Amino acid sequence: MNVHRLVAREFFGMFVDDGNLALLALVLVAAVTAGVKLLALPPLLGGGLLLVGCLAILLQSVRRAVREGGR
């Protein structure tokens, strides 16, 4: 079983370097999509939310990488 877990982790690592960044981006896209489709938010506002959300997620990721790299 340990070999399967290792293979799965390596396969995932080929496509995603920062799992937290990828997860937050997926949650952001899902939330904005739900807001535009279900809450009838204007698409332009949805695009703005995506832009601001992605920038915030990237900033948080960079801060975490700097903090972990400085040790």
Side-chain angles (χ1 to χ4, degrees):
M1 283 300 204
N2 203 9
V3 172
H4 295 294
R5 187 175 293 148
L6 179 64
V7 169
R9 188 176 302 154
E10 287 297 321
F11 183 76
F12 182 73
M14 286 186 344
F15 300 103
V16 179
D17 185 37
D18 186 354
N20 188 39
L21 176 75
L23 179 64
L24 288 175
L26 288 174
V27 168
L28 175 66
V29 169
V32 170
T33 300
V36 169
K37 295 288 185 184
L38 300 175
L39 301 176
L41 290 177
L44 189 58
L45 179 61
L49 289 172
L50 277 176
L51 176 65
V52 171
C54 284
L55 291 174
I57 291 169
L58 285 172
L59 179 63
Q60 182 262 342
S61 180
V62 167
R63 284 183 177 168
R64 187 172 24 92
V66 167
R67 187 174 51 238
E68 289 174 1
R71 291 182 186 175

